[in-house]
Amino acid sequence: MIESTVVIPGETLPRVALTSESVDLLRKLWDQHGPLMFHQSGGCCDGSSPMCFGAGEFWTSDNDILLGVFDIAPAGSAAQNIDFWMSKEQFEYWSHTFLTIDVVKGRGSGFSLEGPEGLRFLIRSRLMETAQPFA
């Protein structure tokens, strides 16, 4: 498992992690598409799933918050950083949770890069005992 960096001012613990299966898939997608990013919006259906895009292909704004940055590069290799963004509105609901990005068989959104692989990213969550709700 890889945990993200801590990027929210005043926080000391990461909020997001990747399973080893997610890392394997992300390395494959990086090789195919180049640098990547995640965005977790809200809403129903596929909007509730983490979406993987080419870096910069999804425009973030003041309505989004960067929750962490992952480096998926193998040890000794150049950094392969992936930003994980979430809409602020969604974060208001999830601010007390630690999120783990996993991979399962199935078809997710047509916009997320893993779709053609027959896999989809999935969020697993658990309560964070020390999290302060986002203000």
Side-chain angles (χ1 to χ4, degrees):
M1 185 166 315
I2 294 176
E3 290 186 342
S4 70
T5 59
V6 178
V7 295
I8 297 175
E11 293 197 348
T12 58
L13 299 173
R15 289 187 164 270
V16 191
L18 297 168
T19 63
S20 58
E21 294 82 6
S22 293
V23 172
D24 291 343
L25 179 56
L26 288 166
R27 286 176 178 161
K28 180 178 181 178
L29 293 173
W30 187 290
D31 288 344
Q32 294 172 352
H33 302 281
L36 305 169
M37 68 178 287
F38 272 107
H39 189 270
Q40 174 72 46
S41 63
C44 68
C45 309
D46 285 335
S48 300
S49 298
M51 306 279 277
C52 182
F53 300 99
E57 289 184 11
F58 184 94
W59 291 1
T60 57
S61 71
D62 292 341
N63 293 320
D64 299 294
I65 182 168
L66 181 63
L67 292 189
V69 178
F70 300 104
D71 183 358
I72 63 162
S77 298
Q80 292 178 301
N81 292 330
I82 299 176
D83 293 348
F84 186 91
W85 293 87
M86 180 179 280
S87 70
K88 284 185 178 180
E89 182 179 17
Q90 185 72 10
F91 188 58
E92 289 177 15
Y93 295 109
W94 288 14
S95 62
H96 60 287
T97 59
F98 181 87
L99 307 175
T100 302
I101 302 169
D102 201 358
V103 174
V104 294
K105 290 182 181 178
R107 188 104 163 100
S109 169
F111 297 112
S112 194
L113 292 175
E114 79 280 5
E117 302 298 322
L119 302 167
R120 66 184 183 93
F121 290 109
L122 173 80
I123 291 285
R124 300 189 190 280
S125 63
R126 66 173 167 79
L127 292 177
M128 291 179 67
E129 295 178 13
T130 60
Q132 296 296 319
F134 180 70

